[in-house]
């Protein structure tokens, strides 16, 4: 096992693990970034979503060797309690979610959408979140929250 480096939330992280170790395992168990959640483990639910070089990817199905040198953004890289990303603030404002387990993945997918499309239609938002399952049925509030965040960002919200 040779050490592998990747850039996680802007900082270089070097880990030593088997090449086929899932990125989700690396994030949670090697780097202590437990915001990214384990759900199905089979690329079906989307709660493990992270950005890989700006694209939303399911980290449970990404082998460590495939992300060497790549830039990974996890939910911890979006904002902080003191300085939330406009998406995080909008989800709070809309009370979008119940248990919250799906939200790290949904916020990552929504960020990828808004980074490329600052004014998505509701159907475009739904399409972008198609890979993310919310078992609590908070879909309508989640759609409203993404719309709210998009409007806030267009008005000049940070990020
Ligand atoms: S845990 Fe990765 S898609 Fe469900
Ligand atoms: S808020 Fe519970 S799974 Fe989405």
């Amino acid at each position: 096992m040779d050490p592998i480096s990747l850039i996680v939330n802007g900082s270089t992280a070097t880990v030593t693990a088997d090449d086929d170790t899932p990125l989700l395992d690396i994030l949670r168990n090697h780097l202590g970034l437990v915001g990214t959640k384990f759900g199905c483990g089979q690329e079906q639910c989307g709660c493990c979503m992270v950005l890989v070089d700006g694209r939303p990817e399911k980290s449970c199905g990404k082998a460590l060797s495939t992300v060497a040198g790549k830039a990974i953004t996890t939910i911890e890289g979006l904002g902080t309690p003191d300085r939330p990303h406009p998406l995080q603030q909008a989800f709070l404002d809309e009370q979008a979610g119940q248990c919250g387990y799906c939200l790290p993945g949904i916020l990552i997918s929504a960020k990828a959408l808004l980074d490329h499309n600052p004014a998505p239609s509701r159907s475009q938002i739904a399409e972008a979140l198609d890979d993310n399952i919310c078992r609590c049925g908070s879909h309508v509030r989640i759609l409203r929250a993404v719309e709210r965040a998009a409007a806030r960002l267009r008005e000049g919200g940070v990020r």
Side-chain angles (χ1 to χ4, degrees), residues 97-100 102 134-136 138:
Q98 292 183 42
C99 76
C102 66
C134 174
R135 293 167 183 81
C136 296
S138 300

Side-chain angles (χ1 to χ4, degrees), residues 50-71:
V50 298
L51 297 179
V52 178
D53 286 345
R55 291 169 44 89
E57 303 272 5
K58 293 164 185 156
S59 61
C60 70
K62 277 244 153 270
L64 173 60
S65 60
T66 68
V67 295
K70 301 205 171 181

Side-chain angles (χ1 to χ4, degrees), residues 2-154:
D2 291 326
I4 291 179
S5 293
L6 46 164
I7 301 156
V8 181
N9 298 330
S11 299
T12 300
T14 302
V15 293
T16 303
D18 288 337
D19 282 0
D20 60 356
T21 305
L23 175 59
L24 176 60
D25 184 14
I26 297 295
L27 293 171
R28 289 182 58 85
N29 299 325
H30 290 247
L31 302 178
L33 295 169
V34 295
T36 306
K37 300 303 184 202
F38 181 95
C40 63
Q42 297 181 352
E43 299 185 272
Q44 298 293 315
C45 73
C47 70
C48 64
M49 204 77 88
V50 298
L51 297 179
V52 178
D53 286 345
R55 291 169 44 89
E57 303 272 5
K58 293 164 185 156
S59 61
C60 70
K62 277 244 153 270
L64 173 60
S65 60
T66 68
V67 295
K70 301 205 171 181
I72 313 296
T73 303
T74 70
I75 189 65
E76 290 89 348
L78 250 64
T80 64
D82 290 341
R83 191 164 174 266
H85 187 281
L87 271 164
Q88 292 168 314
Q89 187 61 55
F91 273 65
L92 286 169
D93 293 344
E94 292 288 346
Q95 290 289 287
Q98 292 183 42
C99 76
Y101 204 81
C102 66
L103 294 183
I106 286 178
L107 285 159
I108 288 291
S109 292
K111 182 174 189 317
L113 170 68
L114 298 187
D115 283 349
H116 294 98
N117 181 357
S121 65
R122 184 164 280 212
S123 62
Q124 286 173 322
I125 297 170
E127 188 179 341
L129 300 182
D130 197 40
D131 275 355
N132 296 89
I133 292 172
C134 174
R135 293 167 183 81
C136 296
S138 300
H139 305 89
V140 175
R141 286 178 182 227
I142 287 167
L143 293 171
R144 278 209 304 260
V146 177
E147 288 170 339
R148 180 190 279 253
R152 174 87 179 86
L153 285 161
R154 289 197 302 273

